[in-house]
Amino acid sequence: MTPQNTTVVSFDQQGIARAAALILAGDCVAVPTETVYGLAADATNGQAVARIYEAKGRPAFNPLIVHVSTLEDAQALAVFDDAACDLARRYWPGPLTLVLPARPGSPIAPLATAGLTTIALRVPAHRAMRALLAACGRPLAAPSANASGRISPTTADHVVASLNGRIPLILNDGATHNGLESTIVAVDAAGRRLLRPGPVTAEDLGLVPTQSDRIEAPGQLASHYRPKKPIVLNRTAASAETWLIGFGPVAGDASLSSTGNLVEAAARLFACLHEADASDRTTIAVAPIPFTGLGAAINDRLSRAAA
Ligand code: TXA
Ligand code: MG
């Protein structure tokens, strides 16, 4: 990616306006939450979400946490049963993330949920993140604002150390309160499961922490959408029974990006896989994707799907 100037601004009306303008233009911005600093982008814009991965240099796509202002906003994106409502009323706004069945037809970009039928949602308490959500008027996807493989940032200086030159703006509002990523609980028909321990403890939740050492780790196979049909990679042509996903000069039945743009390709990846799976062909082929920049994460995802 091309290096850019990273500006640090303080949390005030002007800072929020600047951050919101960047996000509405499809960029990503570092912003504090009560847990850690997040790297936020418009969760309904696939290319904006792709820029998060690009900035972090993440070699794989993990589903991201989607942040919203209120429980009502969250209910527009996911199906809440009684147990989920109860948790939300007790801990939101706050450092608890709920993984719930996504509402079909929700505007969230497939890349934000890694193509899953579930979605991770959180209503944060921090004034800066809340002001940014209000100013943007849309859900914000945000992983921790650190380069891949580095520890989560709890100050603006940590973000500078990790992402300087890779993002346009950091909103500085001092050190975060919790200093630890949010607790993640999945709620479904099978009950409640603690996926990641955090500031809201297993004792608080009344959950037995049997899963606490078995976090559904980033990049874990089972937590990603996997096509049902066999996939082959690096093909420039395919038989009549095969749905070819194109890229650049390879047109295919549908293209990840006809101009060979990796940000666009990342944004379209899961939608293209779903489309190929739903087609009348028996197998899927994918055009060669370069391994540079976001291409590494796209190839990682594809090779897992093909394994
Ligand atoms: O405190 C936090 O949660 C911070 C702040 C910025 O909100 N965010 C954060 O995001 O820690 P991140 O991307 O570093 O961690 C998100 C975790 C990942 O481990 C991911 O696998 C899990 O959430 N996750 C997201 N969606 C999921 C889903 N549908 N099912 C299971 N796990 C999911
Ligand atoms: Mg992280």
Side-chain angles (χ1 to χ4, degrees):
M1 65 182 294
T2 1
Q4 52 184 316
N5 285 324
T6 302
T7 311
V8 182
V9 295
S10 333
F11 165 72
D12 56 22
Q13 237 174 357
Q14 224 183 332
I16 289 293
R18 211 161 145 184
L22 282 163
I23 283 180
L24 294 177
D27 228 316
C28 52
V29 163
V31 54
T33 78
E34 68 274 37
T35 57
V36 300
Y37 274 68
L39 188 57
D42 178 356
T44 67
N45 177 343
Q47 296 206 36
V49 175
R51 291 210 172 85
I52 292 177
Y53 291 101
E54 184 180 49
K56 285 179 67 91
R58 228 179 206 184
F61 297 126
N62 309 315
L64 302 178
I65 296 171
V66 174
H67 301 68
V68 292
S69 296
T70 63
L71 172 57
E72 289 65 41
D73 291 348
Q75 283 170 325
L77 304 176
V79 181
F80 282 68
D81 63 11
D82 289 346
C85 278
D86 179 58
L87 286 171
R89 293 212 177 90
R90 266 204 286 164
Y91 295 105
W92 283 356
L96 176 71
T97 295
L98 297 176
V99 172
L100 303 170
R103 227 174 244 295
S106 112
I108 299 300
L111 188 59
T113 56
L116 294 171
T117 54
T118 53
I119 181 170
L121 287 165
R122 176 156 110 77
V123 174
H126 196 285
R127 62 176 185 174
M129 183 54 140
R130 292 194 65 78
L132 188 60
L133 282 164
C136 294
R138 57 190 72 186
L140 298 178
S144 49
N146 52 280
S148 180
R150 304 277 297 270
I151 54 159
S152 290
T154 56
T155 65
D157 281 347
H158 293 164
V159 183
V160 173
S162 188
L163 295 176
N164 192 33
R166 304 182 69 86
I167 56 174
L169 195 76
I170 300 169
L171 262 176
N172 180 11
D173 196 18
T176 63
H177 173 72
N178 290 118
L180 195 70
E181 296 91 340
S182 64
T183 304
I184 305 182
V185 175
V187 186
D188 55 29
R192 305 180 307 163
R193 287 180 301 143
L194 182 60
L195 300 186
R196 180 171 77 181
V200 177
T201 64
E203 290 81 1
D204 291 337
L205 294 163
L207 285 178
V208 188
T210 45
Q211 303 260 337
S212 62
D213 53 349
R214 262 201 65 238
I215 300 165
E216 281 186 12
Q220 207 183 26
L221 271 183
S223 67
H224 287 245
Y225 175 73
R226 269 167 84 99
K228 296 181 231 30
K229 296 173 183 171
I231 300 195
V232 290
L233 308 180
N234 293 313
R235 298 301 148 102
T236 53
S239 68
E241 305 84 64
T242 300
W243 181 274
L244 177 60
I245 297 176
F247 178 81
V250 180
D253 293 285
S255 182
L256 288 168
S257 169
S258 55
T259 58
N261 178 324
L262 289 169
V263 172
E264 184 185 17
R268 286 181 44 73
L269 178 63
F270 290 104
C272 283
L273 288 173
H274 275 286
E275 185 186 19
D277 237 359
S279 76
D280 56 1
R281 319 290 169 77
T282 53
T283 58
I284 305 169
V286 188
I289 313 289
F291 278 82
T292 49
L294 268 185
I298 296 172
N299 276 299
D300 168 81
R301 182 64 193 81
L302 287 171
S303 60
R304 287 162 190 271

